[in-house]
Amino acid sequence: MEIREVANLKNSLKEHLGLGVFFLGTGSAFATKFYQTNFLIVKDGEHLMVDFGTKCCLALREVSLELSDLKNYYITHSHADHIGGLEEVMLMGRYVFKEKPNIYINSFYKKKLWDESLKGGSAYSEKRYMGNRLCFEDYWNVHKLKRAYEYTRETWEADVGPINVKFPRTRHFPENVNTWKDAMWSTGVIVDERILFTCDTQFDFNLIMEYEEKMNLEYIFHDCQFFSGGIHASLDQLCTLPAKIKAKMLLCHYADNVGDFKEIIKEAGFHSFAEQHKLYSF
């Protein structure tokens, strides 16, 4: 893996050969220094934007990227740090760019995302068809996910040009659920069967080990909080993982006081903290 800082992402988006990941932010929902953990997957001129939180448009401009440069989206779950910027994406696409972006989504989550989060600010922009309002498809080109049945947990899949992406269900919220089956919709992201992004999840040993055993993952990007309880894996819990897993694990979705923990994770055997505005090439 090669890691380098990128000041102008537009060129990298079009020209990057092979697989790369760029973090527009690496912070938790309430981080102020590192924005929110939203990232771009790039490969051979194609891309996929994973999540689009409240601070994502600002983060784009800091790396000389415009909203119009993004064509493909995937959303892991409905918290504001992951969907808070979508209304801007939708309204700009329909009324300014005159072009619908692509979204990769299954029917279940499409309905939930629209009815519970996006409809209120978007359905009533126009009056259409004998009084009916706008719908999800008026704003998005919908690409349906397919179910990957070879895995123990519910897993979905899509091909975005040359990028193969799998989406395993995660146990993120509410706090008091025991399995991913009981949790609200949320997924991780696996790219080309090489890189796992847990995205947002509570500590879930089986999530990591099932895909590690099937794919021999090269790297794992895992969300991390610095206290116990709540709806994210804690650093103490992640420290219990096998040494070979920690050695290829980069931690993200962290609080502003991340600097207090850099020596701790080094001593615990983790690879590192993921860094904002860095391009990771594999």
Side-chain angles (χ1 to χ4, degrees):
M1 178 172 61
E2 177 187 352
I3 307 171
R4 59 187 177 90
E5 191 161 355
V6 175
N8 187 326
L9 188 58
K10 183 175 293 191
N11 293 335
S12 296
L13 191 67
K14 297 176 180 178
E15 299 171 2
H16 190 277
L17 298 178
L19 178 61
V21 174
F22 184 88
F23 282 90
L24 290 165
T26 51
S28 67
F30 310 112
T32 57
K33 296 179 181 178
F34 307 105
Y35 297 148
Q36 298 151 340
T37 301
N38 306 155
F39 58 92
L40 263 169
I41 302 166
V42 296
K43 183 180 180 183
D44 299 342
E46 192 56 273
H47 69 274
L48 179 66
M49 182 75 225
V50 178
D51 293 331
F52 205 86
T54 53
K55 301 172 184 175
C56 207
C57 280
L58 176 61
L60 285 176
R61 296 184 184 109
E62 291 192 357
V63 291
S64 301
L65 201 63
E66 300 296 332
L67 193 57
S68 57
D69 294 318
L70 300 182
K71 307 299 182 184
N72 306 313
Y73 293 80
Y74 176 78
I75 305 301
T76 62
H77 66 288
S78 294
H79 281 149
D81 55 320
H82 298 265
I83 66 166
L86 285 184
E87 187 171 311
E88 183 170 353
V89 174
M90 294 160 61
L91 296 176
M92 291 291 284
R94 184 166 181 83
Y95 300 111
V96 179
F97 308 141
K98 309 294 185 182
E99 182 180 5
K100 291 190 287 186
N102 302 309
I103 191 166
Y104 293 79
I105 195 168
N106 66 12
S107 297
F108 171 81
Y109 185 51
K110 184 188 76 169
K111 178 174 174 54
K112 182 170 288 290
L113 179 62
W114 178 251
D115 288 347
E116 299 180 5
S117 298
L118 300 178
K119 182 177 180 179
S122 305
Y124 306 98
S125 298
E126 302 171 30
K127 190 173 183 178
R128 304 179 62 213
Y129 310 132
M130 299 177 62
N132 291 332
R133 301 298 180 178
L134 296 176
C135 65
F136 193 88
E137 286 80 358
D138 288 315
Y139 290 100
W140 299 98
N141 290 319
V142 175
H143 297 259
K144 293 183 178 180
L145 306 181
K146 60 183 179 180
R147 182 75 181 269
Y149 286 100
E150 62 267 35
Y151 302 99
T152 302
R153 73 174 59 211
E154 182 180 331
T155 303
W156 297 82
E157 184 174 12
D159 290 309
V160 184
I163 309 170
N164 176 260
V165 202
K166 293 181 174 65
F167 310 107
R169 287 284 303 277
T170 57
R171 179 172 63 94
H172 180 30
F173 67 106
E175 181 180 355
N176 59 349
V177 295
N178 294 318
T179 73
W180 61 266
K181 296 179 182 179
D182 304 315
M184 297 297 290
W185 176 269
S186 63
T187 76
V189 174
I190 302 172
V191 185
D192 287 349
E193 298 191 357
R194 298 173 63 190
I195 316 296
L196 166 64
F197 300 85
T198 62
C199 299
D200 286 13
T201 183
Q202 296 180 48
F203 184 68
D204 189 341
F205 182 78
N206 291 332
L207 168 68
I208 298 169
M209 297 312 298
E210 176 177 358
Y211 299 96
E212 165 66 14
E213 290 170 1
K214 287 182 178 292
M215 301 174 182
N216 190 24
L217 298 163
E218 296 175 26
Y219 292 96
I220 301 168
F221 291 82
H222 205 299
D223 57 321
C224 176
Q225 64 184 24
F226 302 135
F227 57 90
S228 298
I231 57 174
H232 292 274
S234 71
L235 180 56
D236 287 343
Q237 290 172 317
L238 294 172
C239 282
T240 67
L241 291 168
K244 71 171 186 176
I245 298 295
K246 291 188 289 185
K248 55 184 174 183
M249 182 172 284
L250 293 84
L251 305 179
C252 54
H253 205 284
Y254 42 71
D256 286 338
N257 62 335
V258 61
D260 298 338
F261 296 88
K262 288 188 176 180
E263 287 301 318
I264 294 174
I265 71 153
K266 183 178 179 181
E267 292 174 3
F270 292 97
H271 183 283
S272 60
F273 283 112
E275 295 185 66
Q276 181 184 23
H277 294 177
K278 295 291 180 68
L279 179 63
Y280 293 78
S281 299
F282 306 96

